[in-house]
Amino acid sequence: MAERAAGAPAAAGDSPALELVGLVRRYGERAALDDVSFTLDAGRPLVVFGPNGAGKSTLLRVLATLLRPHAGTVEVLGEPLPARGWAVRGRVGLLSHEPLLYRDLSPRDNLRFHARLHGVGPDRVEEVLDAVQLGLRADDPLHTFSRGMVQRAAVARAVLHDPALLLLDEPRANLDPAAAELVEPLIGAASGRTWEVTTRVRAGRSRRRPRARRRTGRPAGAGRRRRPRGDRGAVPMSTVLALLRKELLLERKVPQLVPAMALFSVTTFVVFHFALQQREVSGDLAAGILVVTLLFATMLGLNRLYVADKEEGGFDAFLLAPVDRTALGIAKAVALFAFLVLVELVMLPAFAVLLLGPGMGWEVVGKLVVVLVMVDVGLAVVGTLVGALAVQTRARDLIGPLIALPLLVPVVISAARALAPVLAAAGPGALQGRYLGLLGLYDLVFGLLAYAVFDFLLED
């Protein structure tokens, strides 16, 4: 039997903010949450006390739709999870142990990114920055902040979209008394929101003392894994552009992918230049060197494409937003395509100087561009898909290439066959139409496949 927590009963006809019956969540064979049941009325607070490892953070992640319940029923703001998790996202604010902010971006850049995902205007960004007194440091990179300042920025992110429900995991951690008092109007009782707090400290040290009763017992049976409905359709271009802008901004602030890929490519051409002991290469050999070098440069980008999202909470922050998850895949693919184009602006001159000699004219360049654009689309789509899968594993630097390289064999063969006549020693020949057709078909098939399955790669 579920218990009602903290406060008077809800008025008749009102849905409680939270209603859990027999919630079970496991990690392997270990149950982090075992038959948890309670009800929390709208507008009321709930504090959950417990030692480290008691399952407090797991509970908040389930309520925030970031984890699926393995058994039992969960309703958040009147919506059952996980079936209608898409209807809850955007109405919940989560303040967790991780700030869910990119360390190489400033608070203002981070909050503008989140504002675009949540459909919030720029004035609100400035409002919350002022509320946490970060206006004077709003344009400094987050990695230059103290832990207390980072926590204040995280508070600003959590309340940016004015959520109906706040989920706070030790919200005053790293805050001195003055900073804790500063954020109180945003996350405390004065905010007027329903809020749930987890903490390690004893109840006697809390300013408010609402009590929650927790019942544990045997699991209530297996839950059904259902894919959320209603959150798919045409992907809003504004969401894709917001994500793409963030990707390009991160690469501009701290260049990692493009310099590494370009340096690898040029180094590879230098090695071939001296190893082959030929002044010039042509035909199949030249085409093979160019395409294979581009392929292995892409593997470097693939392995790093999602690292910031994984390590800095970018995935969680994105999954909390009321947006189509496929937008992330589209933005990543476009960003990787753009990075490949930038790399090729360095690659092609180095390739011409070190391996082709002075014979590469504009006709050759034009035909190279046609083929490389089609190659880049295939590399970007497959790289985005495989990168999202590999980053979830500990051996991502190994898993990514192991999966991607076999999938990209058709691209390598088709591109090399198409380019061989263009790079022939006797002069540029015609492009091989059938191989261009194969590249186009490959791009189409894997593009549709990526669109269909990317949503599932972000599932718990």
Side-chain angles (χ1 to χ4, degrees):
M1 175 178 176
E3 303 290 344
R4 187 167 298 277
D14 288 346
S15 297
L18 299 174
E19 188 168 10
L20 283 65
V21 179
L23 168 63
V24 176
R25 171 69 200 193
R26 301 186 184 89
Y27 293 102
E29 297 297 322
R30 182 179 65 84
L33 300 172
D34 190 6
D35 199 14
V36 177
S37 301
F38 66 82
T39 300
L40 177 66
D41 296 332
R44 307 299 300 179
L46 173 66
V47 179
V48 180
F49 298 102
N52 289 336
K56 305 183 300 298
S57 297
T58 298
L59 174 62
L60 294 193
R61 291 179 63 82
V62 170
L63 298 178
T65 75
L66 297 178
L67 294 177
R68 286 173 171 264
H70 289 152
T73 61
V74 179
E75 288 193 8
V76 176
L77 300 175
E79 305 288 355
L81 300 184
R84 287 181 58 82
W86 57 270
V88 174
R89 300 179 195 118
R91 302 171 63 195
V92 173
L94 174 66
L95 182 61
S96 62
H97 290 298
E98 296 296 328
L100 309 188
L101 299 168
Y102 293 98
R103 292 190 293 267
D104 293 318
L105 298 184
S106 68
R108 180 172 280 120
D109 287 333
N110 270 293
L111 293 182
R112 284 177 176 173
F113 166 62
H114 287 282
R116 294 185 183 99
L117 294 184
H118 288 271
V120 175
D123 291 343
R124 176 62 177 169
V125 172
E126 302 305 320
E127 179 184 338
V128 295
L129 282 172
D130 290 339
V132 297
Q133 295 185 5
L134 287 177
L136 296 179
R137 298 286 305 277
D139 294 316
D140 295 341
L142 207 67
H143 64 75
T144 64
F145 284 18
S146 67
R147 296 182 66 182
M149 295 175 69
V150 171
Q151 185 72 355
R152 282 152 56 191
V155 169
R157 175 200 54 77
V159 303
L160 175 68
H161 54 293
D162 196 20
L165 173 66
L166 272 176
L167 303 172
L168 310 173
D169 199 347
E170 301 183 28
R172 293 168 182 81
N174 305 316
L175 294 179
D176 57 36
E181 195 69 27
L182 178 68
V183 302
E184 182 68 19
L186 298 175
I187 62 174
S191 66
R193 302 180 179 92
T194 304
W195 45 277
E196 176 169 345
V197 182
T198 71
T199 181
R200 292 187 306 240
V201 300
R202 296 180 59 85
R205 296 186 58 186
S206 176
R207 180 173 299 182
R208 294 178 57 90
R209 296 188 180 89
R211 298 291 300 278
R213 285 176 283 181
R214 175 181 177 183
R215 180 172 63 85
T216 59
R218 299 185 63 184
R224 295 174 58 191
R225 287 185 62 85
R226 294 177 56 193
R227 183 177 175 274
R229 300 180 182 271
D231 59 343
R232 292 302 303 273
V235 180
M237 186 57 62
S238 59
T239 303
V240 175
L241 291 177
L243 290 161
L244 179 59
R245 184 182 184 279
K246 181 264 298 179
E247 293 294 325
L248 299 179
L249 187 60
L250 279 171
E251 184 64 17
R252 182 173 69 85
K253 296 279 188 180
V254 185
Q256 294 184 6
L257 295 184
V258 173
M261 295 163 68
L263 180 61
F264 172 85
S265 302
V266 173
T267 303
T268 302
F269 292 149
V270 171
V271 171
F272 275 113
H273 174 77
F274 290 104
L276 294 175
Q277 296 183 354
Q278 298 181 27
R279 295 183 60 184
E280 298 178 11
V281 295
S282 60
D284 291 329
L285 179 59
I289 291 173
L290 177 62
V291 176
V292 170
T293 299
L294 181 60
L295 172 68
F296 282 103
T298 303
M299 294 302 103
L300 292 178
L302 179 157
N303 285 332
R304 300 294 303 174
L305 191 61
Y306 293 91
V307 170
D309 303 285
K310 179 68 174 179
E311 295 181 351
E312 300 175 25
F315 279 136
D316 286 351
F318 173 75
L319 296 177
L320 289 170
V323 295
D324 192 322
R325 297 176 178 185
T326 309
L328 179 61
I330 296 175
K332 289 286 187 181
V334 174
L336 183 54
F337 178 87
F339 297 155
L340 288 170
V341 170
L342 291 176
V343 169
E344 286 160 359
L345 292 177
V346 178
M347 278 184 63
L348 291 182
F351 180 65
V353 170
L354 293 170
L355 294 172
L356 287 188
M360 190 170 79
W362 288 110
E363 182 182 0
V364 174
V365 172
K367 293 177 179 180
L368 276 174
V369 169
V370 171
V371 176
L372 289 178
V373 165
M374 301 182 73
V375 172
D376 290 348
V377 171
L379 293 176
V381 169
V382 173
T384 298
L385 194 62
V386 173
L389 179 64
V391 78
Q392 307 294 342
T393 68
R394 294 182 179 180
R396 60 172 178 257
D397 292 337
L398 176 64
I399 296 298
L402 282 179
I403 299 176
L405 289 174
L407 291 176
L408 290 168
V409 166
V411 173
V412 174
I413 295 175
S414 298
R417 293 296 187 187
L419 287 175
V422 177
L423 300 175
L431 289 171
Q432 298 292 314
R434 58 178 176 174
Y435 293 115
L436 292 180
L438 286 175
L439 284 172
L441 180 62
Y442 182 96
D443 294 346
L444 177 63
V445 169
F446 274 88
L448 294 175
L449 177 65
Y451 182 83
V453 306
F454 188 83
D455 190 18
F456 294 93
L457 296 181
L458 299 184
E459 289 283 350
D460 162 43

PDB file of all heavy atoms in Angstrom, residues 5 26 56 114-115 153 206 210 250 252 257 306 356 439 447-448 451:
ATOM      1  N   ALA A   5       3.023  11.325   1.337  1.00  0.00           N
ATOM      2  CA  ALA A   5       4.140  11.931   2.051  1.00  0.00           C
ATOM      3  C   ALA A   5       3.964  13.429   2.165  1.00  0.00           C
ATOM      4  O   ALA A   5       3.517  14.089   1.244  1.00  0.00           O
ATOM      5  CB  ALA A   5       5.454  11.631   1.317  1.00  0.00           C
ATOM      6  N   ARG A  26      17.138  -2.275 -10.891  1.00  0.00           N
ATOM      7  CA  ARG A  26      18.310  -3.100 -10.619  1.00  0.00           C
ATOM      8  C   ARG A  26      19.496  -2.644 -11.458  1.00  0.00           C
ATOM      9  O   ARG A  26      19.338  -2.079 -12.532  1.00  0.00           O
ATOM     10  CB  ARG A  26      18.025  -4.562 -10.952  1.00  0.00           C
ATOM     11  CG  ARG A  26      16.867  -5.191 -10.192  1.00  0.00           C
ATOM     12  CD  ARG A  26      16.788  -6.679 -10.511  1.00  0.00           C
ATOM     13  NE  ARG A  26      15.644  -7.310  -9.883  1.00  0.00           N
ATOM     14  CZ  ARG A  26      14.441  -7.394 -10.433  1.00  0.00           C
ATOM     15  NH1 ARG A  26      14.245  -6.884 -11.637  1.00  0.00           N
ATOM     16  NH2 ARG A  26      13.447  -7.971  -9.813  1.00  0.00           N
ATOM     17  N   LYS A  56      19.343   6.725  -3.605  1.00  0.00           N
ATOM     18  CA  LYS A  56      18.687   8.032  -3.692  1.00  0.00           C
ATOM     19  C   LYS A  56      18.833   8.633  -5.091  1.00  0.00           C
ATOM     20  O   LYS A  56      17.862   9.093  -5.684  1.00  0.00           O
ATOM     21  CB  LYS A  56      19.276   8.985  -2.650  1.00  0.00           C
ATOM     22  CG  LYS A  56      19.245   8.470  -1.211  1.00  0.00           C
ATOM     23  CD  LYS A  56      19.764   9.493  -0.234  1.00  0.00           C
ATOM     24  CE  LYS A  56      21.208   9.920  -0.493  1.00  0.00           C
ATOM     25  NZ  LYS A  56      22.158   8.808  -0.384  1.00  0.00           N
ATOM     26  N   HIS A 114      20.914  25.330 -23.401  1.00  0.00           N
ATOM     27  CA  HIS A 114      19.765  24.695 -22.751  1.00  0.00           C
ATOM     28  C   HIS A 114      18.483  25.481 -23.006  1.00  0.00           C
ATOM     29  O   HIS A 114      17.401  24.886 -23.140  1.00  0.00           O
ATOM     30  CB  HIS A 114      20.027  24.579 -21.251  1.00  0.00           C
ATOM     31  CG  HIS A 114      21.034  23.531 -20.904  1.00  0.00           C
ATOM     32  ND1 HIS A 114      20.743  22.185 -20.875  1.00  0.00           N
ATOM     33  CD2 HIS A 114      22.356  23.616 -20.589  1.00  0.00           C
ATOM     34  CE1 HIS A 114      21.813  21.495 -20.546  1.00  0.00           C
ATOM     35  NE2 HIS A 114      22.814  22.341 -20.382  1.00  0.00           N
ATOM     36  N   ALA A 115      18.584  26.791 -23.080  1.00  0.00           N
ATOM     37  CA  ALA A 115      17.397  27.597 -23.356  1.00  0.00           C
ATOM     38  C   ALA A 115      16.825  27.268 -24.727  1.00  0.00           C
ATOM     39  O   ALA A 115      15.591  27.186 -24.899  1.00  0.00           O
ATOM     40  CB  ALA A 115      17.754  29.082 -23.260  1.00  0.00           C
ATOM     41  N   ALA A 153      25.977  27.587 -11.044  1.00  0.00           N
ATOM     42  CA  ALA A 153      25.615  27.521 -12.463  1.00  0.00           C
ATOM     43  C   ALA A 153      24.675  26.350 -12.733  1.00  0.00           C
ATOM     44  O   ALA A 153      23.748  26.451 -13.550  1.00  0.00           O
ATOM     45  CB  ALA A 153      26.883  27.388 -13.317  1.00  0.00           C
ATOM     46  N   SER A 206      18.293  19.713   8.742  1.00  0.00           N
ATOM     47  CA  SER A 206      17.575  20.309   7.630  1.00  0.00           C
ATOM     48  C   SER A 206      16.716  21.455   8.106  1.00  0.00           C
ATOM     49  O   SER A 206      16.116  21.404   9.170  1.00  0.00           O
ATOM     50  CB  SER A 206      16.686  19.254   6.953  1.00  0.00           C
ATOM     51  OG  SER A 206      15.909  19.833   5.940  1.00  0.00           O
ATOM     52  N   PRO A 210      10.060  17.762   6.261  1.00  0.00           N
ATOM     53  CA  PRO A 210       9.045  16.867   5.757  1.00  0.00           C
ATOM     54  C   PRO A 210       9.579  15.441   5.793  1.00  0.00           C
ATOM     55  O   PRO A 210      10.754  15.206   5.553  1.00  0.00           O
ATOM     56  CB  PRO A 210       8.827  17.352   4.319  1.00  0.00           C
ATOM     57  CG  PRO A 210      10.083  18.042   3.958  1.00  0.00           C
ATOM     58  CD  PRO A 210      10.622  18.623   5.222  1.00  0.00           C
ATOM     59  N   LEU A 250      32.074  24.120 -29.284  1.00  0.00           N
ATOM     60  CA  LEU A 250      33.028  23.331 -28.503  1.00  0.00           C
ATOM     61  C   LEU A 250      34.324  23.107 -29.283  1.00  0.00           C
ATOM     62  O   LEU A 250      35.429  23.224 -28.736  1.00  0.00           O
ATOM     63  CB  LEU A 250      32.409  21.988 -28.117  1.00  0.00           C
ATOM     64  CG  LEU A 250      31.481  21.955 -26.910  1.00  0.00           C
ATOM     65  CD1 LEU A 250      30.787  20.602 -26.811  1.00  0.00           C
ATOM     66  CD2 LEU A 250      32.247  22.250 -25.624  1.00  0.00           C
ATOM     67  N   ARG A 252      35.485  24.992 -31.648  1.00  0.00           N
ATOM     68  CA  ARG A 252      36.189  26.269 -31.797  1.00  0.00           C
ATOM     69  C   ARG A 252      36.888  26.671 -30.503  1.00  0.00           C
ATOM     70  O   ARG A 252      38.014  27.176 -30.527  1.00  0.00           O
ATOM     71  CB  ARG A 252      35.203  27.360 -32.225  1.00  0.00           C
ATOM     72  CG  ARG A 252      35.866  28.719 -32.457  1.00  0.00           C
ATOM     73  CD  ARG A 252      34.891  29.718 -33.029  1.00  0.00           C
ATOM     74  NE  ARG A 252      33.868  30.091 -32.064  1.00  0.00           N
ATOM     75  CZ  ARG A 252      33.997  31.042 -31.143  1.00  0.00           C
ATOM     76  NH1 ARG A 252      35.149  31.696 -31.041  1.00  0.00           N
ATOM     77  NH2 ARG A 252      33.008  31.339 -30.337  1.00  0.00           N
ATOM     78  N   LEU A 257      39.114  17.572 -32.600  1.00  0.00           N
ATOM     79  CA  LEU A 257      38.878  16.620 -33.681  1.00  0.00           C
ATOM     80  C   LEU A 257      39.594  17.037 -34.968  1.00  0.00           C
ATOM     81  O   LEU A 257      40.358  16.247 -35.542  1.00  0.00           O
ATOM     82  CB  LEU A 257      37.382  16.486 -33.941  1.00  0.00           C
ATOM     83  CG  LEU A 257      36.531  15.898 -32.818  1.00  0.00           C
ATOM     84  CD1 LEU A 257      35.098  15.734 -33.272  1.00  0.00           C
ATOM     85  CD2 LEU A 257      37.083  14.560 -32.377  1.00  0.00           C
ATOM     86  N   TYR A 306      31.569  11.829 -29.090  1.00  0.00           N
ATOM     87  CA  TYR A 306      30.604  11.891 -27.990  1.00  0.00           C
ATOM     88  C   TYR A 306      31.258  11.987 -26.613  1.00  0.00           C
ATOM     89  O   TYR A 306      30.560  11.896 -25.605  1.00  0.00           O
ATOM     90  CB  TYR A 306      29.704  10.650 -27.999  1.00  0.00           C
ATOM     91  CG  TYR A 306      28.769  10.550 -29.174  1.00  0.00           C
ATOM     92  CD1 TYR A 306      29.149   9.884 -30.326  1.00  0.00           C
ATOM     93  CD2 TYR A 306      27.492  11.106 -29.120  1.00  0.00           C
ATOM     94  CE1 TYR A 306      28.285   9.761 -31.399  1.00  0.00           C
ATOM     95  CE2 TYR A 306      26.620  10.997 -30.187  1.00  0.00           C
ATOM     96  CZ  TYR A 306      27.023  10.323 -31.324  1.00  0.00           C
ATOM     97  OH  TYR A 306      26.161  10.218 -32.388  1.00  0.00           O
ATOM     98  N   LEU A 356      50.842  13.431 -55.741  1.00  0.00           N
ATOM     99  CA  LEU A 356      50.361  13.552 -57.119  1.00  0.00           C
ATOM    100  C   LEU A 356      51.296  14.347 -58.006  1.00  0.00           C
ATOM    101  O   LEU A 356      51.256  14.221 -59.229  1.00  0.00           O
ATOM    102  CB  LEU A 356      48.974  14.208 -57.143  1.00  0.00           C
ATOM    103  CG  LEU A 356      47.797  13.363 -56.660  1.00  0.00           C
ATOM    104  CD1 LEU A 356      46.494  14.098 -56.929  1.00  0.00           C
ATOM    105  CD2 LEU A 356      47.782  11.992 -57.321  1.00  0.00           C
ATOM    106  N   LEU A 439      27.576   4.564 -53.950  1.00  0.00           N
ATOM    107  CA  LEU A 439      27.802   5.472 -52.827  1.00  0.00           C
ATOM    108  C   LEU A 439      26.508   6.171 -52.425  1.00  0.00           C
ATOM    109  O   LEU A 439      26.199   6.300 -51.238  1.00  0.00           O
ATOM    110  CB  LEU A 439      28.856   6.526 -53.197  1.00  0.00           C
ATOM    111  CG  LEU A 439      30.313   6.071 -53.209  1.00  0.00           C
ATOM    112  CD1 LEU A 439      31.209   7.168 -53.777  1.00  0.00           C
ATOM    113  CD2 LEU A 439      30.778   5.693 -51.802  1.00  0.00           C
ATOM    114  N   GLY A 447      21.560   6.277 -43.921  1.00  0.00           N
ATOM    115  CA  GLY A 447      20.910   7.455 -43.370  1.00  0.00           C
ATOM    116  C   GLY A 447      19.544   7.129 -42.792  1.00  0.00           C
ATOM    117  O   GLY A 447      19.196   7.560 -41.688  1.00  0.00           O
ATOM    118  N   LEU A 448      18.753   6.350 -43.516  1.00  0.00           N
ATOM    119  CA  LEU A 448      17.443   5.937 -43.014  1.00  0.00           C
ATOM    120  C   LEU A 448      17.581   5.017 -41.801  1.00  0.00           C
ATOM    121  O   LEU A 448      16.800   5.107 -40.851  1.00  0.00           O
ATOM    122  CB  LEU A 448      16.665   5.232 -44.129  1.00  0.00           C
ATOM    123  CG  LEU A 448      16.266   6.111 -45.324  1.00  0.00           C
ATOM    124  CD1 LEU A 448      15.614   5.259 -46.412  1.00  0.00           C
ATOM    125  CD2 LEU A 448      15.317   7.218 -44.878  1.00  0.00           C
ATOM    126  N   TYR A 451      18.456   7.115 -38.773  1.00  0.00           N
ATOM    127  CA  TYR A 451      17.282   7.859 -38.303  1.00  0.00           C
ATOM    128  C   TYR A 451      16.340   6.951 -37.525  1.00  0.00           C
ATOM    129  O   TYR A 451      15.734   7.365 -36.528  1.00  0.00           O
ATOM    130  CB  TYR A 451      16.553   8.488 -39.484  1.00  0.00           C
ATOM    131  CG  TYR A 451      15.353   9.305 -39.091  1.00  0.00           C
ATOM    132  CD1 TYR A 451      15.498  10.625 -38.680  1.00  0.00           C
ATOM    133  CD2 TYR A 451      14.069   8.759 -39.120  1.00  0.00           C
ATOM    134  CE1 TYR A 451      14.394  11.382 -38.305  1.00  0.00           C
ATOM    135  CE2 TYR A 451      12.969   9.505 -38.744  1.00  0.00           C
ATOM    136  CZ  TYR A 451      13.140  10.815 -38.340  1.00  0.00           C
ATOM    137  OH  TYR A 451      12.054  11.549 -37.958  1.00  0.00           O
TER     138      TYR A 451
END
